[in-house]
Amino acid sequence: MRNLYPPMANKVWDYNPLTFTGGDDILPTKYSLPRAAFVYTSNVSTATGESTGKIDAMQDGKSDTYWHTCYSGCSVATNLPVEIMIDMKTINAFKGFFIQNRQNNTYATKVIVRISQDNKNWVDMGTYDLAKSSETTAQRNVMREFAFDKIVEAQYVKFSFPEKNLSGETMLH
């Protein structure tokens, strides 16, 4: 059905057939999937035992908490690409993603996004620019939205960071 018809644009459930009114309010164009149940993993060591930097910060929706790769006493070296995978626990339909760099610190420059329904067969959704050296700190700090050409269905999303951050380090903050 999704491929046959365009997405709904209005809140049709508000229509009152007795008064022939309502149902005209516009639907918001974006929303977040319920990420509290998602499981986040990485191919590199992550911060542990600290009050900041834990991978759990990926799902709290706050810009003042953050995840970062391990930078001291790491059990696995931080090599590129750094990958973060999200298991959404069920197949979801979505048309893009939001991503935000750590505020006022090192900045990732690019991300490659792949999706999968089975964690074996991956579809490349594209390479997206993040922070640039020509941007101001305020521009680098902004949450960025990236839309796909169409609605996709997947359970797994993999974010691959193939380049050193703007500070020239392989670690991701």
Side-chain angles (χ1 to χ4, degrees), residues 6-36:
M8 243 193 311
N10 300 83
K11 295 181 180 180
V12 295
W13 53 86
D14 288 341
Y15 178 72
N16 183 336
L18 300 175
T19 62
F20 303 104
T21 61
D24 299 325
D25 290 341
I26 304 294
L27 279 172
T29 58
K30 38 188 160 170
Y31 63 92
S32 293
L33 293 172
R35 62 183 171 258

Side-chain angles (χ1 to χ4, degrees), residues 60-102:
D60 67 8
K62 300 176 185 176
S63 64
D64 61 342
T65 61
Y66 54 89
W67 167 81
H68 62 77
T69 58
C70 181
Y71 54 83
S72 174
C74 309
S75 61
V76 177
T78 301
N79 294 313
L80 296 176
V82 171
E83 293 182 339
I84 298 169
M85 189 173 72
I86 303 171
D87 177 354
M88 296 186 284
K89 296 299 187 184
T90 187
I91 293 177
N92 284 288
F94 54 99
K95 192 174 177 180
F97 62 97
F98 299 97
I99 193 165
Q100 186 169 27
N101 268 305
R102 179 177 169 188

Side-chain angles (χ1 to χ4, degrees), residues 3-169:
N3 294 327
L4 294 176
Y5 303 101
M8 243 193 311
N10 300 83
K11 295 181 180 180
V12 295
W13 53 86
D14 288 341
Y15 178 72
N16 183 336
L18 300 175
T19 62
F20 303 104
T21 61
D24 299 325
D25 290 341
I26 304 294
L27 279 172
T29 58
K30 38 188 160 170
Y31 63 92
S32 293
L33 293 172
R35 62 183 171 258
F38 296 174
V39 175
Y40 295 77
T41 56
S42 178
N43 68 331
V44 298
S45 293
T46 63
T48 58
E50 302 175 22
S51 60
T52 62
K54 295 180 183 177
I55 203 156
D56 293 344
M58 300 280 289
Q59 67 190 39
D60 67 8
K62 300 176 185 176
S63 64
D64 61 342
T65 61
Y66 54 89
W67 167 81
H68 62 77
T69 58
C70 181
Y71 54 83
S72 174
C74 309
S75 61
V76 177
T78 301
N79 294 313
L80 296 176
V82 171
E83 293 182 339
I84 298 169
M85 189 173 72
I86 303 171
D87 177 354
M88 296 186 284
K89 296 299 187 184
T90 187
I91 293 177
N92 284 288
F94 54 99
K95 192 174 177 180
F97 62 97
F98 299 97
I99 193 165
Q100 186 169 27
N101 268 305
R102 179 177 169 188
Q103 303 295 283
N104 305 312
N105 206 291
T106 59
Y107 297 94
T109 59
K110 287 193 182 312
V111 64
I112 300 168
V113 180
R114 295 179 182 91
I115 61 170
S116 173
Q117 291 188 355
D118 60 9
N119 199 17
K120 294 177 185 154
N121 300 298
W122 293 89
V123 176
D124 189 350
M125 298 306 295
T127 300
Y128 302 89
D129 289 327
L130 297 174
K132 298 177 185 170
S133 58
S134 61
E135 293 176 317
T136 66
T137 298
Q139 289 170 317
R140 293 177 193 159
N141 286 343
V142 71
M143 182 179 293
R144 298 171 194 251
E145 175 186 7
F146 299 97
F148 304 141
D149 292 336
K150 62 181 182 173
I151 294 172
V152 297
E153 293 183 353
Q155 177 175 336
Y156 303 91
V157 180
K158 188 182 293 183
F159 296 94
S160 180
F161 301 89
E163 299 178 349
K164 293 181 178 184
N165 61 34
L166 282 181
S167 298
E169 303 162 320

